[in-house]
Amino acid sequence: MNDESRPRPVFDPGIPVADRAVLAAAPERLVAASLPAPAPPALTLATVVARVLWIPAFAFFYGVLPGGWLRVCFLASLDQDDLVGGALRWGRLPVLAMMLTPALQVLLLLLGQTEAAVLLAAVSFTGWVIGALRHLREPAASRAAREHHGRYLLPADFDRPAARLLIRAQRAVDAVLSSQSHRAGLLDDVGNTVVLPRQEWAIAATLAEHTRLRRERIVQQPERLSPRVRALLEPQDRALALSARSVAVRIEALEEYARRAGEADDAYHESRVLTALPEQNARYRDLLAGTAGDAMAGAEIRGMAEDAHRTERALREEAADALDTAPELAVPEDTGQAAGRAAGRAAGRTAAGEPETA
């Protein structure tokens, strides 16, 4: 089945809230109800010996010796980029303790407070031993998955027909719980929060049982049975079909409730629009009032444009008149060029028989 046809895990509402949160946050720890329950962690002799040797060494290294500083120097020698992040994976308090305890011990020894330094080392050693023992306990998610096995259902607990029905139920529940009318408190929010998860769990538990029965029937291989034995199995098939129809009716009721919640959302949205209508009308009236001012401003701007055009035309006409009436500037000729032209005219008259004038 693809992701769209996989229902989400379903938890029994009777599981404590804290355990439900732990289980939901660690889905990789969950084991399908159709599989055997996970076994508690086994404590072998080798594990006991290893812990007896490792825990005191661990506590002495970090609680008495400057193990924190040695670790930081070691990581720095490896060119680790995230030294602080690597150290803080244990939490701020352990990191602070492993950094400050050696410095305080040295300070007490320098001040001659040997007994206080020994007491501090003993307290630090004890604290790290307790922390190591707590760390070695079974993880909370594994414990909850083991203790509540069978009270949560996974996609592996449903075959295709059951998964399709459960997805329909979950979509209807999600549609109600995510509706605006539910968030606004217009529906029975307390009932929705309490009743709908119970309905989802009841539907899922019934569908999981349907799946187990159908899988058992497949294992029985009815085609290999005699007609008489198959006749004995027919009432079981009718009971299963009747239960499946009953679950389908319940899911249809959930879907009808989700449709009603959607209609309530539409009505709620419409009421909000109507509530905001007077304020919106006032804004639109202001917009229309500004339209008259826009018309007056447009007429004024057009008049200014016409004035500018007339001014431009008048300036161009004045420039043209000034160009027509402007006197031509007389530039005096060069003296040498004037004498040469006069000599040329005299030579011409002599050649023509005219008397030369002085």
Side-chain angles (χ1 to χ4, degrees):
M1 291 184 290
N2 54 30
D3 292 337
E4 294 182 355
S5 61
R6 290 174 62 86
R8 65 169 175 266
V10 186
F11 301 95
D12 183 356
I15 298 176
V17 177
D19 286 353
R20 282 208 309 269
V22 170
L23 292 172
E28 70 281 357
R29 303 278 188 176
L30 305 183
V31 179
S34 56
L35 299 177
L43 191 63
T44 62
L45 179 61
T47 304
V48 173
V49 173
R51 291 180 179 179
V52 168
L53 296 177
W54 174 76
I55 291 177
F58 173 81
F60 187 75
F61 181 74
Y62 285 107
V64 179
L65 299 179
W69 292 104
L70 295 176
R71 179 178 177 82
V72 169
C73 293
F74 174 73
L75 293 177
S77 67
L78 299 179
D79 293 332
Q80 292 287 333
D81 294 332
D82 189 12
L83 298 178
V84 178
L88 286 179
R89 76 182 193 279
W90 288 337
R92 294 184 178 181
L93 182 59
V95 171
L96 187 64
M98 73 171 64
M99 294 298 182
L100 292 182
T101 301
L104 291 177
Q105 290 175 352
V106 172
L107 179 62
L108 291 173
L109 292 175
L110 292 177
L111 295 177
Q113 302 293 329
T114 306
E115 295 180 356
V118 172
L119 179 62
L120 177 61
V123 171
S124 179
F125 178 83
T126 305
W128 280 95
V129 168
I130 295 174
L133 291 175
R134 292 184 59 186
H135 177 73
L136 293 176
R137 291 188 309 177
E138 182 182 12
S142 298
R143 177 195 56 77
R146 178 173 52 82
E147 292 180 353
H148 300 296
H149 181 259
R151 301 182 66 187
Y152 55 84
L153 298 171
L154 305 180
D157 293 315
F158 307 98
D159 57 8
R160 285 184 179 274
R164 285 194 292 267
L165 290 173
L166 181 57
I167 289 172
R168 286 174 53 189
Q170 290 179 341
R171 287 176 178 172
V173 171
D174 293 342
V176 173
L177 296 180
S178 62
S179 63
Q180 291 182 341
S181 51
H182 170 72
R183 292 195 298 266
L186 301 177
L187 303 179
D188 185 3
D189 52 346
V190 176
N192 290 338
T193 306
V194 175
V195 175
L196 290 182
R198 291 179 181 174
Q199 290 290 333
E200 181 182 355
W201 170 251
I203 292 172
T206 304
L207 292 175
E209 181 63 21
H210 291 175
T211 300
R212 284 191 288 268
L213 293 175
R214 282 192 288 262
R215 288 172 177 171
E216 289 177 1
R217 182 55 49 86
I218 293 174
V219 173
Q220 290 173 349
Q221 300 181 6
E223 68 278 0
R224 299 180 57 184
L225 303 177
S226 65
R228 184 177 179 181
V229 175
R230 288 200 299 268
L232 294 176
L233 298 179
E234 287 181 359
Q236 296 179 356
D237 296 336
R238 291 196 298 270
L240 178 60
L242 181 61
S243 178
R245 286 195 295 272
S246 176
V247 172
V249 170
R250 181 184 294 191
I251 294 174
E252 290 172 356
L254 279 177
E255 291 174 334
E256 178 63 22
Y257 183 31
R259 282 193 292 270
R260 294 295 179 86
E263 294 173 357
D265 277 0
D266 295 338
Y268 178 62
H269 174 71
E270 186 174 283
S271 67
R272 295 180 63 184
V273 171
L274 292 174
T275 302
L277 195 59
E279 189 270 337
Q280 287 182 341
N281 286 338
R283 291 164 59 191
Y284 279 98
R285 282 194 298 268
D286 294 339
L287 187 64
L288 290 175
T291 303
D294 291 339
M296 296 176 60
E300 183 177 1
I301 292 172
R302 286 192 295 272
M304 294 170 63
E306 293 176 358
D307 292 341
H309 181 62
R310 285 193 296 269
T311 302
E312 178 190 2
R313 192 169 54 247
L315 290 175
R316 289 185 182 277
E317 291 175 355
E318 291 180 1
D321 294 341
L323 184 61
D324 292 339
T325 59
E328 184 178 356
L329 179 63
V331 179
E333 296 180 338
D334 184 70
T335 306
Q337 292 179 354
R341 284 196 296 270
R345 286 196 297 270
R349 284 196 296 271
T350 304
E354 294 179 359
E356 184 178 357
T357 57

